[in-house]
């Protein structure tokens, strides 16, 4: 099981020692079941990537001698280029190199005799964009256009070794056709500038659940901005890696850009609440997250198996009212359930198993509902005064859901266990249903939202 690999066990030790661990969900989306390995264990906070309300835009203008014959609005954080000859990488392969490899601008794939002094149109995929830019530069190229391979991909604004603009797949195909037909193709690249963009859109690459190792543990947990993130950049790479451009700042994209946002938010929460455990901090971030994240089409709502609880809202997380905590022993009991004998063999304690479904996580995932399932969640008040909360189940079409209480009154520091039962009410085998258990503070309207994912 992935939970027992050395990295996962090391992260469990960190969590047990009071260290909050934020882990990138991975960049293997959009297919389901792409959250794997250490990002799937329940003692870490697994982070997917969403967009900001800002990106970095640039325009590519293609000419054939005189007038403009085509243009594309893309993304860039590079400086611009004046009118320059442009070539399609697939048509300038080095001797003995397949055009398909040259199209990707793989290292050594381009012919310096035909690339020197030009802007090169490369295809996205296989190798990193920084490698493509280095291949262009090493072949004498002075600029690069990177065309997406898939219509759903976000447009990258990463800087490279040469001025670079990323464009959508359709625009890339159009530019490629125009270059092939032009007698004297020339291109102008605008410098990248900050421009407004649609936000709370799930990045296509962001890994999705359900996780294969333990489908009754919902992952990812939440999302944070991870597209075109402006951040400090190391001037060189480790030995054996592709060297990075000597830049102080870069705009990078990936779930590895999203996870630091969550780590930073957790650090702030630890300052506000130094007595909270890592699990309590995760709970606060998840139950107060904004669930209104949409898929890459900009319209379709995401499910909890795609964006978890939603996009973090650190300000709301500082005052959640209730948290769901998990003790280190409960994690050991979870391991005993998924790998019997672990409690004694690894921890020297005989602890009873705890089903993944019954871990006190701020999410619920049932991978096979069958005739029905029941579980419970224990909520602890972190308010300084007594509060009353109403309980409601939202969504979950095809499922009959019930709770052991419709109202909860809690004194400061008090805990209460809420029973939850789910039964099929039209949900077919294999069909998925999504919703949430929502607790609302009667006094001020705050909500604690626990996402629910059920497969028939």
């Amino acid at each position: 099981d992935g939970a027992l690999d050395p990295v996962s066990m090391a992260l469990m030790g960190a969590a047990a020692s009071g260290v909050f661990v934020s882990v990138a969900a991975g960049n293997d989306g959009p297919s389901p079941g792409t959250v794997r390995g250490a990002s799937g264990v329940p003692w870490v906070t697994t982070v997917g990537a969403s967009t900001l309300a800002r990106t970095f835009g640039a325009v590519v203008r293609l000419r054939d001698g005189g007038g403009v014959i085509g243009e594309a609005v893309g993304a860039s954080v590079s400086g611009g280029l004046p009118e320059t000859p442009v070539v399609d990488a697939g048509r300038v392969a080095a001797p003995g190199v397949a055009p398909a490899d040259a199209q990707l601008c793989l290292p050594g794939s381009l012919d310096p005799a035909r690339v020197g002094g030009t802007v090169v149109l490369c295809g996205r995929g296989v190798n990193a964009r920084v490698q493509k830019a280095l291949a262009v530069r090493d072949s004498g190229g002075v600029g690069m256009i990177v065309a997406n391979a898939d219509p759903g991909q976000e447009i990258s604004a990463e800087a490279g070794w040469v001025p670079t603009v990323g464009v959508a797949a359709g625009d890339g195909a159009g530019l490629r056709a125009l270059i092939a037909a032009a007698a004297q193709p020339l291109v102008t690249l605008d410098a990248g500038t900050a421009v407004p963009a649609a936000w709370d859109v799930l990045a296509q690459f962001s890994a999705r659940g359900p996780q294969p190792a333990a489908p009754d543990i919902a992952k990812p947990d939440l999302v944070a901005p991870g597209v075109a993130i402006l951040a400090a950049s190391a001037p060189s790479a480790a030995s054996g890696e592709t060297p990075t451009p000597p830049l102080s700042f870069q705009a990078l994209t990936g779930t590895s850009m999203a996870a630091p946002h969550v780590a930073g938010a957790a650090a702030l929460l630890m300052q506000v609440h130094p007595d909270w455990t890592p699990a309590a901090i995760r709970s606060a971030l998840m139950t107060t997250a904004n669930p209104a994240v949409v898929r890459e089409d900009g319209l379709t709502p995401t499910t909890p198996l795609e964006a978890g609880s939603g996009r973090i809202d650190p300000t709301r997380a500082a005052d959640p009212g209730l948290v769901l905590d998990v003790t280190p022993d409960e994690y050991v009991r979870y391991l005993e359930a998924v790998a019997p004998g672990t409690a004694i063999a690894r921890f020297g304690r005989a602890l009873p198993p705890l089903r993944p479904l019954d871990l006190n996580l701020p999410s619920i995932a049932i991978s096979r509902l069958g005739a029905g399932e029941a579980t419970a969640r224990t909520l602890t008040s972190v308010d300084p005064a007594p509060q009353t909360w109403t309980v409601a189940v939202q969504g979950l079409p095809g499922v009959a859901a019930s709770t052991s209480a419709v109202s909860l009154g809690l004194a400061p520091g008090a805990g209460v266990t809420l029973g939850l039962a789910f039964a099929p009410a039209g949900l077919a085998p294999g069909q998925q249903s999504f919703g949430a258990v929502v607790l609302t503070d009667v006094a001020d309207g705050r909500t604690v939202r626990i996402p629910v994912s059920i497969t028939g």
Side-chain angles (χ1 to χ4, degrees), residues 373-406:
E373 282 284 3
T375 187
R377 291 295 184 267
T378 298
L379 301 111
T380 302
S381 173
V382 288
D383 266 349
Q387 299 289 352
T388 299
W389 299 78
T390 61
V391 182
V393 178
Q394 298 178 353
L396 294 179
V399 176
S402 60
T403 61
S404 61
V406 295

Side-chain angles (χ1 to χ4, degrees), residues 71-367:
E71 66 178 40
V73 178
S76 176
V77 288
S78 303
L81 275 179
E83 197 167 82
T84 306
V86 60
V87 295
D88 176 11
R91 293 175 175 269
V92 290
V97 175
D101 290 339
Q103 187 70 70
L104 294 169
C105 295
L106 299 178
S109 66
L110 302 175
D111 183 358
R114 292 183 287 172
V115 169
T118 71
V119 171
V120 182
L121 174 59
C122 303
R124 182 171 172 178
V126 181
N127 59 327
R129 286 173 286 268
V130 67
Q131 284 188 333
K132 298 178 192 295
L134 191 58
V136 169
R137 191 203 69 168
D138 288 349
S139 300
V142 296
M144 180 174 72
I145 304 166
V146 180
N148 283 356
D150 188 312
Q153 287 175 316
E154 68 297 327
I155 304 174
S156 171
E158 294 181 18
W161 284 95
V162 293
T164 300
V165 178
V167 298
D171 288 332
L175 291 173
R176 192 170 290 118
L178 290 171
I179 291 170
Q184 187 185 357
L186 302 168
V187 73
T188 301
L189 305 183
D190 281 357
T193 57
V195 294
W199 72 321
D200 283 345
V201 178
L202 186 66
Q204 190 200 46
F205 60 80
S206 191
R208 323 289 163 104
Q211 54 159 323
D216 285 346
I217 301 292
K219 292 289 180 175
D221 292 312
L222 38 69
V223 298
V227 177
I229 304 303
L230 192 64
S233 174
S236 61
S239 176
E241 296 181 358
T242 301
T244 56
L247 302 172
S248 298
F249 289 86
Q250 276 266 34
L252 301 178
T253 290
T255 56
S256 291
M257 291 288 98
H261 282 84
V262 174
L268 294 174
L269 290 178
M270 282 182 166
Q271 293 180 15
V272 178
H273 302 287
D275 56 328
W276 284 9
T277 66
I281 290 172
R282 172 181 58 192
S283 172
L285 287 168
M286 289 180 63
T287 60
T288 61
N290 179 5
V293 178
V294 295
R295 293 178 183 167
E296 53 269 24
D297 62 9
L299 298 171
T300 308
T302 55
T303 72
L305 294 180
E306 296 169 331
S309 296
R311 188 254 306 150
I312 60 166
D313 185 338
T315 300
R316 287 191 63 209
D319 184 27
L322 302 170
V323 296
L324 293 88
D325 210 347
V326 186
T327 67
D329 275 0
E330 288 171 320
Y331 290 136
V332 176
R333 292 178 59 197
Y334 158 78
L335 288 175
E336 182 66 19
V338 298
T342 299
I344 285 288
R346 294 201 175 222
F347 300 94
R349 287 177 290 163
L351 293 174
L354 181 67
R355 293 190 310 166
L357 176 60
D358 295 329
L359 262 179
N360 199 45
L361 301 174
S363 59
I364 297 169
I366 299 174
S367 60

Side-chain angles (χ1 to χ4, degrees), residues 15-72:
S17 300
V19 177
F20 179 90
V21 182
S22 174
V23 176
N27 300 333
D28 295 326
S31 298
T34 43
V35 174
R36 298 176 180 272
S39 37
V41 295
W43 43 84
V44 305
T45 300
T46 305
V47 187
S50 59
T51 60
L52 283 167
R54 181 271 300 137
T55 189
F56 298 97
V59 177
V60 175
R61 295 180 179 85
L62 188 65
R63 299 175 182 271
D64 185 4
V68 174
I69 59 171
E71 66 178 40

